[in-house]
Amino acid sequence: MAWYPGAVRMELQPESDGQPAIVPTQLIYHSISAPWTKERLYEYWRDGTNLDSHFGQSYDGTLAQYIGTETRADANYLANRRPDGTGAVSVETASNDNHSDPWTDAQVEGLIRLGVWMHQRHGIPLRICRTASDPGYGYHRLHADWAVSGTACPGDARVAQFKNVIFPAIVARATGQAPNPSEEDDMPLTQADIDAVANAVWNHTETNANTGEPVYMGAVLAWMDKVHVTQTEKVLKQLTAAQAAIAALATQLGQVHGVDTAAVVAAVRKAIAEAVIHVDVDVTGTPAATS
């Protein structure tokens, strides 16, 4: 049996010795639907049920391993152990009660590192499982054969993180396109790292203090960009209108008082360039200016 060096070993007995061997060909990510630490999950597997998983992860990203990765665990239904002896490795992760929250940054990093190790140690191919038995990486609800009666686990937010952040980072690090921070902290960021960070920011969520609903940072950034464009267009229209009004006013002054129209327009435009002002001009009445 194999034990991941990045996890605390909390071996479940008699399961660890008594359950049949597997050839691990998949890594499947879960949410436990409880804000439990890895220690609390161990106690639950040990004392509260005859079920189990290979790994458990706390919100702080730390991992515990309960069963060796070459021994069957129970979290993946028909993928636990197939007739040919292959099976899936499972990692349960802390979440809110309905697994609707995203993984924390620390959890994301821990899951990436575990994914890289599974490729290096067991040769898990760097692809998302195309079928329930196809070797690769996945999340619990990806295939019906992985869950009794179906499941929403690990939730929409975490599925997006898996697709956009976790799995791409596993591939990048495992293929040398991006350094593993635990081994090469002083190496410069690659484009894969930058893309992973950008995706993490875009998919990050906060909670609306008034409604309790999730707020997606990508939606906020898109809204801010739209507001910026709208306000810029509005200001440009106002400036164009103001300049047209100034030109019209200068023309009227020139016709009535013999004022040099070009000089007036040039002077006003220079003032606009040198200071932030608001000009409200009515060419049929008295012009007013406020700063």
Side-chain angles (χ1 to χ4, degrees):
M1 64 181 67
W3 296 88
Y4 173 46
V8 178
R9 182 167 173 170
M10 298 181 181
E11 191 169 1
L12 286 169
Q13 289 292 357
E15 293 86 352
S16 185
D17 289 336
Q19 294 180 166
I22 63 169
V23 176
T25 59
Q26 297 169 323
L27 177 61
I28 301 177
Y29 296 103
H30 301 247
S31 290
I32 193 60
S33 293
W36 289 353
T37 63
K38 60 186 185 296
E39 292 82 8
R40 176 67 183 89
L41 181 56
Y42 168 74
E43 293 169 356
Y44 177 69
W45 290 151
R46 184 191 64 191
D47 305 328
T49 179
N50 60 355
L51 301 177
D52 47 59
S53 64
H54 291 93
F55 293 92
Q57 187 190 47
S58 305
Y59 269 127
D60 66 4
T62 57
L63 286 159
Q65 186 172 357
Y66 312 123
I67 294 176
T69 51
E70 294 170 318
T71 300
R72 190 207 75 201
D74 301 319
N76 304 304
Y77 190 33
L78 298 182
N80 293 334
R81 187 177 188 275
R82 303 181 185 86
D84 64 359
T86 63
V89 171
S90 51
V91 51
E92 292 281 2
T93 61
S95 71
N96 61 19
D97 292 340
N98 58 1
H99 49 65
S100 62
D101 57 337
W103 281 303
T104 67
D105 292 344
Q107 285 180 303
V108 167
E109 180 58 30
L111 296 176
I112 292 170
R113 295 186 186 195
L114 175 61
V116 173
W117 181 80
M118 287 293 296
H119 171 73
Q120 295 171 339
R121 178 65 176 80
H122 296 298
I124 304 295
L126 298 172
R127 64 171 180 254
I128 296 175
C129 299
R130 298 164 294 187
T131 67
S133 60
D134 184 44
Y137 296 77
Y139 45 88
H140 196 194
R141 78 185 196 195
L142 181 59
H143 296 293
D145 283 355
W146 292 355
V148 180
S149 302
T151 180
C153 171
D156 292 345
R158 297 187 177 196
V159 168
Q161 287 176 298
F162 172 84
K163 293 178 178 179
N164 299 323
V165 182
I166 293 174
F167 181 70
I170 290 171
V171 174
R173 295 187 193 180
T175 57
Q177 298 175 39
N180 188 329
S182 64
E183 299 173 356
E184 303 179 68
D185 288 333
D186 57 342
M187 290 188 66
L189 291 176
T190 66
Q191 187 60 49
D193 288 315
I194 295 171
D195 291 343
V197 171
N199 283 325
V201 171
W202 187 262
N203 291 290
H204 178 69
T205 61
E206 296 289 346
T207 300
N208 187 308
N210 295 322
T211 66
E213 295 296 320
V215 178
Y216 295 91
M217 291 300 101
V220 173
L221 291 171
W223 174 80
M224 291 176 64
D225 185 59
K226 182 178 180 181
V227 169
H228 174 72
V229 170
T230 301
Q231 291 299 319
T232 300
E233 290 176 348
K234 182 179 179 181
V235 170
L236 288 174
K237 289 178 180 178
Q238 291 175 337
L239 180 59
T240 300
Q243 290 180 335
I246 290 166
L249 177 61
T251 299
Q252 288 188 7
L253 290 174
Q255 292 173 347
V256 176
H257 302 291
V259 176
D260 185 342
T261 301
V264 172
V265 172
V268 173
R269 287 180 175 172
K270 183 174 183 296
I272 292 173
E274 293 177 348
V276 178
I277 65 172
H278 170 70
V279 179
D280 181 10
V281 177
D282 180 356
V283 297
T284 62
T286 304
T290 58
S291 60

